[in-house]
């Protein structure tokens, strides 16, 4: 991941600055606040709420290097697969209210990652925009189709029967993809077509999503916004 020029700040100093920002009307209302900075095809997100504290750095032109810690082992596993196969460099830390349950952490991580990708894309000029992929994992097979259209429209059918995978509720894996698509401003269709093992079905879905994203995020060399409207 590219380092910023100038004097480096320690992670502790960076966190302190984020968490001691003067309260705004939004923060006072208990709503999410975020700080984001885009530079080329990279972005940094600092998101702090009463439920989660997230630090994220993402590069769209990486090779799949990751440092991920959310406190949820299965979510870390899925995020690692997503970044690796999409070839995103991803450094992500989340401290959430896991004494409540996993929902807030899963949702807010997805929102931060989606906003990071959106920031890194800029005006979306010169990207392929569309991507689609199938991914098998043994007996399981998943399909993902993405359009970085600027309009969020998630349709997610993972067909998971078990209530929980590791520390993560199955319904929250669906919600992760819905939240990611919303924050990323993308149309996203993910379907698990077959499978018996719940872990295999979930992982195949994340890998299919990664491969579709890799296509859609790729540069086509034109510098043109791929929309008849001229904007995405």
């Amino acid at each position: 991941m590219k380092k910023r020029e100038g004097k480096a700040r320690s992670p502790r100093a960076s966190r302190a600055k984020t968490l001691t920002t003067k309260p705004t009307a939004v923060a006072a209302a208990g709503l999410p606040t975020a700080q984001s900075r885009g530079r080329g095809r990279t972005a940094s997100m600092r998101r702090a709420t009463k439920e989660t504290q997230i630090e994220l750095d993402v590069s769209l032109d990486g090779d799949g290097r990751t440092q991920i810690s959310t406190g949820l082992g299965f979510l870390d596993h899925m995020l690692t697969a997503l970044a690796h196969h999409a070839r995103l460099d991803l450094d992500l830390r989340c401290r959430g209210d896991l004494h409540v349950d996993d929902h807030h952490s899963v949702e807010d991580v997805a929102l931060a990652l989606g906003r990071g990708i959106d920031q890194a894309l800029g005006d979306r000029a010169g990207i392929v925009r569309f991507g689609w992929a199938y991914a098998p994992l043994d007996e399981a097979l998943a399909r993902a189709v993405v359009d970085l259209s600027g309009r969020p429209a998630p349709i997610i059918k993972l067909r998971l029967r078990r209530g929980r995978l590791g520390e993560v509720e199955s319904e929250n894996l669906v919600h992760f993809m819905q939240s990611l698509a919303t924050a990323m401003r993308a149309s996203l269709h993910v379907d698990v077509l077959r499978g018996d093992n719940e872990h295999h079905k979930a992982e195949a879905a994340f890998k299919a999503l990664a491969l579709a994203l890799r296509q859609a995020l790729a540069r086509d060399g034109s510098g043109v916004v791929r929309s008849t409207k001229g904007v995405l």
Side-chain angles (χ1 to χ4, degrees):
M1 197 168 296
K2 295 181 179 179
K3 295 184 178 178
R4 298 182 182 277
E5 297 178 354
K7 186 177 180 180
R9 293 183 300 168
S10 70
R12 179 175 296 177
S14 178
R15 284 195 296 270
K17 183 175 181 179
T18 299
L19 298 178
T20 57
T21 301
K22 292 183 179 180
T24 62
V26 172
L31 299 176
T33 60
Q35 298 177 359
S36 59
R37 299 175 299 279
R39 183 181 180 184
R41 298 249 298 182
T42 67
S44 296
M45 298 291 301
R46 302 295 181 265
R47 175 185 170 88
T49 74
K50 292 181 178 180
E51 298 166 345
T52 60
Q53 297 172 11
I54 296 173
E55 301 175 8
L56 177 150
D57 295 285
V58 62
S59 170
L60 306 187
D61 302 305
D63 56 13
R65 291 177 295 173
T66 59
Q67 292 186 13
I68 297 170
S69 177
T70 66
L72 297 164
F74 192 80
L75 180 60
D76 290 356
H77 180 39
M78 294 298 101
L79 287 167
T80 299
L82 175 63
H84 179 81
H85 293 287
R87 293 188 183 174
L88 305 177
D89 285 348
L90 179 62
D91 188 344
L92 188 154
R93 298 288 182 273
C94 174
R95 299 190 305 279
D97 56 356
L98 298 180
H99 64 283
V100 176
D101 66 8
D102 60 301
H103 179 88
H104 297 143
S105 292
V106 173
E107 178 181 55
D108 287 2
V109 164
L111 292 173
L113 179 57
R115 289 175 184 172
I117 292 172
D118 182 42
Q119 290 285 328
L121 281 171
D123 63 5
R124 307 194 177 202
I127 62 168
V128 173
R129 174 180 167 178
F130 298 97
W132 56 91
Y134 288 83
L137 181 54
D138 296 345
E139 87 296 343
L141 179 64
R143 175 184 63 211
V145 184
V146 63
D147 174 11
L148 297 173
S149 61
R151 300 183 305 278
I155 305 294
I156 313 298
K157 304 292 183 182
L158 301 189
R159 308 184 193 283
L160 298 172
R161 298 186 300 268
R162 196 198 311 173
R164 175 176 292 198
L165 290 169
E167 312 92 335
V168 179
E169 296 290 341
S170 294
E171 65 181 5
N172 287 333
L173 295 173
V174 175
H175 190 54
F176 176 94
M177 292 188 178
Q178 293 168 336
S179 300
L180 178 70
T182 298
M184 191 168 55
R185 299 192 300 121
S187 174
L188 176 63
H189 296 252
V190 180
D191 296 271
V192 171
L193 303 178
R194 65 176 62 93
D196 298 316
N197 183 282
E198 301 294 276
H199 186 133
H200 290 178
K201 289 192 287 185
E203 188 168 345
F206 272 81
K207 287 178 176 177
L209 169 57
L211 295 173
L213 267 179
R214 180 171 152 191
Q215 290 180 31
L217 293 169
R219 290 181 167 124
D220 66 9
S222 69
V224 173
V225 174
R226 289 299 170 195
S227 172
T228 55
K229 296 188 294 294
V231 295
L232 290 173

